Amino acid sequence: SNKILAITMNPSVDISYPIEHLKIDTVNRVSNVTKTAGGKGLNVARVIHQLDEPVSTSGVLGGTIGTFISQQLNTVGLQEQFLHIPQESRNCIAILHDNGQQTEVLEGGPVLTATQQTEFMQHFTSLLDEVSLVTISGSLPQGFTTDLYAQMIEAAAKKDVKVILDSSGDSLVAGISGEAKPLLIKPNQEEIAQLAGRELTDLADLQDVLLNEDVFNGLDWIVVSLGKDGALAKVGQEIYRVAIPKIKVVNPVGSGDSTVAGLAVGINRHESIPDVLKTAMTTGMLNTMEKETGHIDPELFDEYFAKVSVEKLN
Ligand code: ATP
């Protein structure tokens, strides 16, 4: 099989409330409500789907919120293979108000049990038989152990399935500390500094850290995205600088996820190293040019791909 499986462990229904002026301690009324299935891995899956690469989604969901997420995925033609649980999935509310301010209310989501973690691992392991690559994005649900991603990477390694890990904090540390390693991680500069245990001064310093810090041993690909400045990547022992054109940004939210989607598609299609990096920068850029999060215009792909340049630095 050459299908990609995009994991979101704690998906949500993202509710957006545009309000001219937010008033505290009184009633606010809202007419233009939008509700969408949310979660980093769902953004990844949507962009992979837009590039016409076979993709499926999994994680854990439940309740009426879970049903809504499931239906939305089906509506856009995304295969839904989540573990269904009796608890309710979460809502996340963003209030857009007062000329560009954004106030968010984020539920923690269901608190899961050790038994449900075992069930999920069994479910995930069976899904591995149908896929060539897995992307894991975002944080863990409450109740699951910090080493879940490490366990998933181990299970994938046993079946020769590649893993791209895009998370942060303890689950990222645990995810790259096991014996089996993810093929690729996509930390930002802040996460690299955290993993290395020190501040980074400039790109030369970043390069030095990627090549020499022990925490990064055994990771084939480390792609550090740098927003409008493109990316710096280590592949094997080689360092690549990726430069992107100046573009008009409409909404940058989800560009990290879209970058992961591009990496997954490029690797799954066995593109050359520079082309994988160009594909990823293109999907990242195209996402920033759209209003909708985790959405690209595939018609623009070739034009922007041609504007990305990759230079080997060492
Ligand atoms: P996120 O907050 O979505 O997780 P991130 O920090 O992981 O983001 P970024 O480095 O901000 O990811 O963006 C990923 C990619 O998207 C960049 O490498 C670039 O290709 C594109 N991108 C993001 N912001 C811009 C921008 N302002 N101009 C051009 N391209 C951008």
Side-chain angles (χ1 to χ4, degrees):
S1 172
N2 71 331
K3 193 166 72 173
I4 299 170
L5 178 65
I7 301 289
T8 314
M9 290 309 300
N10 199 8
S12 53
V13 169
D14 291 348
I15 302 175
S16 161
Y17 289 153
I19 294 176
E20 184 82 3
H21 169 60
L22 180 67
K23 295 167 285 181
I24 304 298
D25 200 27
T26 183
V27 172
N28 293 270
R29 292 188 195 277
V30 54
S31 47
N32 278 321
V33 181
T34 59
K35 300 184 183 180
T36 55
K40 289 169 67 64
L42 297 186
N43 294 336
V44 173
R46 279 189 275 255
V47 173
I48 292 173
H49 188 56
Q50 287 188 294
L51 292 177
D52 274 333
E53 194 72 357
V55 63
S56 168
T57 58
S58 189
V60 173
L61 56 68
T64 52
I65 312 272
T67 302
F68 180 90
I69 295 170
S70 180
Q71 281 169 353
Q72 272 229 334
L73 294 176
N74 287 326
T75 303
V76 296
L78 273 171
Q79 194 181 7
E80 185 270 282
Q81 297 183 300
F82 279 72
L83 176 72
H84 289 237
I85 55 163
Q87 299 99 310
E88 277 289 333
S89 289
R90 61 188 176 146
N91 283 320
C92 290
I93 298 171
I95 307 167
L96 313 169
H97 61 99
D98 300 275
N99 294 315
Q101 294 192 51
Q102 179 156 341
T103 301
E104 299 190 13
V105 182
L106 308 180
E107 295 182 28
V111 181
L112 306 177
T113 65
T115 309
Q116 287 177 316
Q117 178 164 348
T118 307
E119 271 169 28
F120 174 74
M121 277 307 298
Q122 282 165 355
H123 178 69
F124 173 73
T125 304
S126 71
L127 294 180
L128 287 173
D129 293 329
E130 302 163 16
V131 302
S132 46
L133 190 151
V134 174
T135 66
I136 303 175
S137 305
S139 55
L140 292 170
Q142 304 177 76
F144 278 12
T145 56
T146 312
D147 70 345
L148 180 78
Y149 292 161
Q151 288 185 35
M152 291 167 71
I153 291 161
E154 176 92 46
K158 282 194 184 134
K159 298 195 176 185
D160 261 329
V161 173
K162 301 180 177 101
V163 176
I164 294 180
L165 176 62
D166 181 19
S167 89
S168 57
D170 292 345
S171 64
L172 173 59
V173 173
I176 62 173
S177 306
E179 202 169 321
K181 304 287 182 193
L183 176 74
L184 184 153
I185 60 171
K186 192 210 70 64
N188 55 31
Q189 273 178 295
E190 197 182 315
E191 285 152 1
I192 288 283
Q194 240 174 40
L195 290 171
R198 67 177 177 87
E199 289 299 312
L200 303 174
T201 50
D202 54 18
L203 281 188
D205 196 23
L206 173 58
Q207 179 174 341
D208 177 64
V209 160
L210 291 178
L211 288 171
N212 299 314
E213 287 290 335
D214 287 345
V215 273
F216 301 122
N217 280 351
L219 299 166
D220 281 355
W221 292 70
I222 303 174
V223 180
V224 184
S225 63
L226 305 167
K228 65 171 176 23
D229 296 320
L232 189 81
K234 183 181 94 108
V235 189
Q237 284 308 305
E238 295 172 347
I239 299 285
Y240 296 86
R241 179 79 179 93
V242 195
I244 59 175
K246 211 175 162 51
I247 54 171
K248 191 167 174 299
V249 174
V250 176
N251 173 14
V253 179
S255 41
D257 301 333
S258 304
T259 300
V260 168
L263 291 166
V265 168
I267 288 172
N268 209 44
R269 289 180 180 165
H270 305 287
E271 290 176 358
S272 68
I273 292 166
D275 280 4
V276 170
L277 296 170
K278 286 184 193 180
T279 297
M281 287 298 98
T282 306
T283 47
M285 284 190 291
L286 294 185
N287 176 73
T288 69
M289 296 164 66
E290 303 283 317
K291 215 172 133 210
E292 205 179 316
T293 297
H295 190 87
I296 63 168
D297 180 356
E299 299 269 295
L300 298 176
F301 187 90
D302 291 347
E303 180 188 342
Y304 283 86
F305 183 92
K307 292 180 182 169
V308 183
S309 66
V310 177
E311 182 194 2
K312 199 164 156 304
L313 293 187
N314 65 341

